[in-house]
Amino acid sequence: MSQDHPHADHAEAPYLELLARGAAPEAYERPVLRARAEGAGAGTLAALENAKLLALRVRSELEGRRRREAELSALFETAHDLAGLRDLDAVLQAIVQRARSLLGTEVAYLSLNDPAAGDTYMRVTEGSVSARFQQLRLGMGEGLGGLVAQTARPYVTDSYFDDARFQHTRSIDSGVRDEGLVAILGVPLMLGSNVIGVLFAADRRARVFEREQIALLASFAAHAAVAIDTANLLAETRTALAELEQANEIIRDRSGVIERASDVHDRLTALVLRGGGVDDVAAAVAQVLDGTVEFAEGGSAAAKALAESGTDGHAVQHGDDWIAGVSAGGELLGALVLHGHPALDPVDQRTLERAAVVTSLLLLARRSAGEAEQRVRGELLDDLLDAPDRDPRLLRERADRLRADLDAPHVVLAARIGARGTDTAERQSADRQRLWSAASHLAATRHGLAAARDGGTVLLLPLGLDDTAASVARRAAGQLRSAIREPVTVGASAVVRAPAARPGAVADAYAEAQRCLDALRLLGRSGEGAAAEDFGFLGLLLADSRDVDGFVRRTIGDVITYDSRRGTDLVRTLDAYFACGMSPARTKDALHVHVNTVAQRLDRIGRLLGPDWQTPGRALEIQLALRLHGLAGAVAH
């Protein structure tokens, strides 16, 4: 073969050697230049050019693979650090170092929110040379980090001082200027839907951050958030254990108290290890403290005592009882109530508090499993509302797996948090999520169902022996308010006798509950719970059943019963009294009795109906009930 047409292998050989030793890109021009200097022909030069392009493409691919291997290795090392988390600062420092190295930036740093101070501070820096920058504290919403925190999305600027998308402040700009930063990339650290900080990568020159680099930094930010969350949980656990140890040290000198504390510690530890529940904790503490202990939902104990116990973690006395709040992350889950111990030893108070801490840990440990069950409960309720033609047998089977009895009487509740005009869409969404979570927990404890719907929450709760739809609504409003610490308005339907047998009745009942909810809000009674029966004659319009007999019974039933048992004529007297413009003198003429007789009858009516029976609102309801009662009597005859 001539010199002008070398074999392809001869053209590729020098490039294989360059690839083997990892030569720089500029080295790939030398074989072509050397051949051109030696007077090689056009064919040889073309072959060398093709081989060069192929070799550069192979080199680029190899570089990309090496870079991805390095990124995966760094992420794996970070995950390994998290698995053996001992020192949060060391883990965060390693994350920032790896981010800086893999992104090839001059500086990397991590800032965290300080809720107590209401600002953001630098937690870790790598490559920084400015003391002012390292000590920088940023107000919420300021700088590039503020934009990232507000939107919960990554942001990048190739020229910080020329970028007007975020709020510049003198202190931040001075710190950035001291550090000499120009191009900055920031990604949020997320815990759930909350931004707790920002991870940054920055250069002292203009540069463009590629999409892969943004994704990589976001991965490191996710690891950092997990590290912080894990460290916080470990710190809370260590704090709880430290407090338990401190309580044991305090009572070491007192043999009787020591035995009780040791006993309860052993019992609670054994409970946790064998997967015991809240009732087991209550039973164990009751036996050790020689009393009766129960776990109460948020709305069932005295609100003031629960609020005090839930905020500072200490047991408080309420009458002859002691109450220790069971809370986590600012959410009041309930309380442990010790009955019949008006004078409780301080160490025994600590024992009750520690039991409340263990109870909260047990509840949190089961929350993840509970959330899955909540979704299943919501799906079943959605089917009852949206697909009334479902097979009742299948509905019963699904309900049985959730320990719900759909052949028992139930009440449908519509619940919603009162809207505030200043709320952002994010705040409203968070409120709806908190309401759904609290309602799902309530439904699970009551063997009912709950689902998010129409901007609020719908619940299907079983009716107790002494319950009414109105009492269930009021109790639910109080329990939800205590759980999320926001006023919750709850409207209730009439009783649905057997939801599984009549699935379509659930949708009708939900519509009625919504009407009651809307009526409460229109009447300025947000934050309350009520059913149609609570609205007097308006309830006849709100209820699907148009329960006229129930309205008459609630309004003047005591007067009717009194007449029936005593043979008196109070109903006719009451009707004549209103017909005569509420004038006793004209009433006695209409009834042909003495005015004293009218006065005595009206006095008796007042004792039966209550002192406010002549107020305009009550008088209107009573007159309507008298008319309906008269019509019912006429129809019956």
Side-chain angles (χ1 to χ4, degrees), residues 302-494:
K304 183 175 183 297
L306 268 178
E308 292 175 359
S309 179
T311 52
D312 60 14
H314 295 299
V316 296
Q317 191 170 7
H318 184 64
D320 290 340
D321 301 334
W322 283 87
I323 303 178
V326 177
S327 60
E331 179 183 357
L332 186 61
L333 304 176
L336 285 184
V337 183
L338 173 63
H339 296 289
H341 272 275
L344 189 64
D345 185 277
V347 177
D348 289 337
Q349 294 178 29
R350 299 287 287 174
T351 299
L352 184 63
E353 292 163 6
R354 298 286 73 73
V357 171
V358 172
T359 302
S360 67
L361 292 175
L362 288 175
L363 291 174
L364 288 176
R366 286 161 176 75
R367 175 168 286 186
S368 57
E371 288 175 350
E373 182 178 320
Q374 289 170 7
R375 287 192 293 272
V376 176
R377 290 179 184 274
E379 290 167 359
L380 176 55
L381 182 50
D382 284 335
D383 284 347
L384 286 169
L385 291 168
D386 299 330
D389 56 345
R390 293 272 184 175
D391 185 348
R393 180 180 57 82
L394 296 179
L395 293 175
R396 289 188 182 95
E397 290 178 359
R398 292 168 63 186
D400 288 343
R401 289 194 290 270
L402 297 170
R403 302 179 299 282
D405 181 8
L406 293 185
D407 288 316
H410 282 68
V411 174
V412 177
L413 303 178
R416 185 171 297 177
I417 296 177
R420 293 171 294 269
T422 58
D423 284 353
T424 62
E426 291 79 7
R427 172 64 185 271
Q428 293 177 11
S429 176
D431 284 347
R432 288 194 293 269
Q433 178 64 30
R434 289 192 301 128
L435 176 60
W436 173 79
S437 178
S440 297
H441 176 70
L442 174 60
T445 57
R446 291 285 309 278
H447 303 295
L449 307 175
R453 203 172 186 89
D454 300 325
T457 301
V458 56
L459 298 94
L460 181 68
L461 298 182
L463 197 69
L465 291 177
D466 299 323
D467 283 339
T468 63
S471 67
V472 172
R474 285 191 289 271
R475 185 165 59 245
Q479 290 170 332
L480 294 173
R481 178 178 62 250
S482 298
I484 67 175
R485 309 210 176 166
E486 291 277 0
V488 179
T489 309
V490 178
S493 71

Side-chain angles (χ1 to χ4, degrees), residues 85-131:
L85 179 64
R86 293 294 182 271
D87 183 350
L88 176 62
D89 287 331
V91 173
L92 295 179
Q93 188 70 47
I95 288 174
V96 173
Q97 287 175 347
R98 289 166 186 152
R100 178 193 177 204
S101 173
L102 288 176
L103 268 70
T105 58
E106 296 171 282
V107 182
Y109 52 100
L110 185 149
S111 67
L112 292 181
N113 296 345
D114 185 349
D119 61 8
T120 301
Y121 67 97
M122 292 290 187
R123 178 65 182 267
V124 180
T125 63
E126 180 69 20
S128 171
V129 296
S130 168

